[in-house]
Amino acid sequence: MRTHGRGRAAALMLASALAAGGCSGGTGKAESPSGPSQPRWGTGEFTGALGLCSWITQEDLRPLLIEQAQKTATSSNVDCAWRAEESGTSTDRTLRLVWGRHEPPSKPGGSATDEARRGFAQPREWRYGAGVPVRGLGDEAKLGRDFTAGDWGHRVAVAVRARNLVFMVQADARSQVESDREWIAPIGDLEAGVLAVARRILVRLGVPAAPAPSPPAPRPGETAKPREVCGPLRAAAGRLLRGVRGRTLSPRGSRSATGCLWERERLRDHLVVSVEVIPPSPATGESATQVAGGTLSGWHAPGWSRLGTRLGDDALVSRYDSGTARNVEVVVRRANLLVSVSLDRRNGAPPVRTLENEAVRIAGQVLALHG
């Protein structure tokens, strides 16, 4: 963890003295220095060995679809991760925990908590700018989200400071192949998952956690839950890919995402429709529309551009044409509803513009299906 102490000594990382059990209530006792070289700890600051990585359980991993995960850790055990991959798929699901304990500065006039407060401006591995302030977690907390179209990837992280300790919990879920999207948790489930892990850590530390705030009330035009799309789009899919049946792509255990796949062969001619309803955030107080707008409005990547259509509140398009293989993907947001349509054709494929028009038409049907 980096600190910004403006000339103060950098905070030392807790290295190998980690206990697998716990931390005796989570609070180190204030210590009286035995000499001028000893650090001056404040009351309630964490001074002893901590075992944050050992506190993550299967119960924490299950909502993130990170079951049967392999745990990895650095030699210092202050950076650990749990990763799960399904055999035969192109999905990647990871939970990562990064943390560090700040120590008092060598010069008088400050505390370990002051050092942590300064370091919290940019915790180690934090990639989300200022983040969004979170209510009721530790002394201060912030949330970051990232949505990637194309490989349909989500990343959510929460950083928390409790006295002189700062930790970050980050969940990643992405699928590089459209047919594997059923294996990743939607962004709302990831947010709930990382917040649950953060609360569990605070309980083990002995830091009182405020009750989870109530979510903001729904706004007009927001969608409450996704509609099944295999049946309503059967005719449109049959016209584009004759004789192909649809298969649901609903993520396991999720009530906020669904989808359908029509495919001739894996990685060949296909139509994929993914639908995700973004929930409001009780942790930050953002409405569902604010969360959804923030995840997509600032997104950009090579090969993607804004779609020149009035479909929804925001729309992106990606076009690929190799001559023998053509693909178009359209991602549309309306309020808190995200819709992705991927249309891929190989030999004898119609022009890219034709595929784009078809993808836009299907996205419009999905929006109409949701009112």
Side-chain angles (χ1 to χ4, degrees):
M1 169 157 313
R2 300 185 183 93
T3 58
H4 304 277
R6 297 178 182 176
R8 301 179 186 273
L12 299 178
M13 296 296 297
L14 181 60
S16 59
L18 292 174
C23 55
S24 301
T27 304
K29 296 181 179 179
E31 299 178 356
S32 298
S34 58
S37 63
Q38 296 296 317
R40 294 180 178 273
W41 295 99
T43 302
E45 292 182 338
F46 299 101
T47 64
L50 301 173
L52 274 67
C53 287
S54 67
W55 298 344
I56 307 301
T57 69
Q58 283 296 318
E59 181 182 348
D60 299 313
L61 301 174
R62 192 171 297 112
L64 303 170
L65 303 184
I66 308 178
E67 298 140 312
Q68 306 299 323
Q70 294 183 346
K71 177 183 175 183
T72 60
T74 64
S75 58
S76 63
N77 203 28
V78 295
D79 186 351
C80 43
W82 294 258
R83 183 179 181 183
E85 291 182 294
E86 299 290 335
S87 176
T89 74
S90 296
T91 62
D92 189 355
R93 306 186 300 279
T94 305
L95 178 70
R96 188 178 181 191
L97 173 61
V98 178
W99 65 280
R101 186 194 66 179
H102 289 254
E103 295 196 0
S106 58
K107 296 180 180 180
S111 68
T113 297
D114 292 334
E115 296 294 296
R117 188 179 294 113
R118 282 187 285 270
F120 187 73
Q122 185 59 46
R124 186 165 64 92
E125 302 296 334
W126 182 261
R127 304 172 182 174
Y128 305 90
V132 184
V134 172
R135 305 175 290 178
L137 282 183
D139 295 312
E140 56 182 329
K142 56 188 175 183
L143 189 74
R145 309 181 189 90
D146 182 33
F147 171 78
T148 303
D151 60 0
W152 205 251
H154 302 322
R155 180 186 293 129
V156 179
V158 60
V160 182
R161 182 182 67 82
R163 301 167 197 155
N164 63 316
L165 182 74
V166 176
F167 65 88
M168 182 189 75
V169 181
Q170 177 177 280
D172 285 87
R174 59 190 62 251
S175 170
Q176 297 179 355
V177 177
E178 290 89 341
S179 59
D180 296 335
R181 289 178 180 170
E182 63 183 312
W183 300 108
I184 69 171
I187 201 165
D189 293 356
L190 293 187
E191 179 172 324
V194 298
L195 290 170
V197 173
R199 287 182 175 276
R200 177 185 292 274
I201 291 173
L202 289 173
V203 169
R204 294 295 299 268
L205 290 171
V207 177
S214 300
R219 288 185 176 183
E222 292 183 343
T223 301
K225 62 180 180 179
R227 299 286 301 274
E228 187 271 332
V229 293
C230 284
L233 296 180
R234 183 181 297 115
R239 178 171 51 82
L240 296 171
L241 297 173
R242 297 184 182 279
V244 178
R245 293 187 178 183
R247 175 173 68 83
T248 183
L249 292 181
S250 300
R252 293 171 294 167
S254 177
R255 298 182 178 180
S256 60
T258 189
C260 196
L261 164 70
W262 294 266
E263 186 177 38
R264 294 196 190 282
E265 296 179 46
R266 184 171 171 82
L267 305 180
R268 295 190 64 84
D269 289 10
H270 67 242
L271 169 65
V272 183
V273 179
S274 299
V275 183
E276 185 168 324
V277 172
I278 307 296
S281 176
T284 65
E286 297 166 286
S287 70
T289 298
Q290 287 175 318
V291 175
T295 59
L296 190 59
S297 62
W299 187 88
H300 58 87
W304 285 81
S305 59
R306 296 294 171 196
L307 184 62
T309 177
R310 295 183 179 180
L311 196 65
D313 299 314
D314 203 358
L316 300 168
V317 62
S318 170
R319 309 175 185 92
Y320 173 79
D321 186 353
S322 70
T324 58
R326 298 185 176 111
N327 173 273
V328 170
E329 184 159 9
V330 171
V331 178
V332 178
R333 178 186 67 85
R334 186 183 69 189
N336 67 320
L337 180 67
L338 286 180
V339 177
S340 170
V341 179
S342 176
L343 184 54
D344 186 279
R345 295 290 300 273
R346 301 301 168 113
N347 295 326
V352 167
R353 184 60 64 180
T354 300
L355 294 182
E356 180 179 330
N357 291 338
E358 294 288 0
V360 169
R361 183 178 295 111
I362 291 174
Q365 288 183 256
V366 176
L367 293 179
L369 182 65
H370 288 82

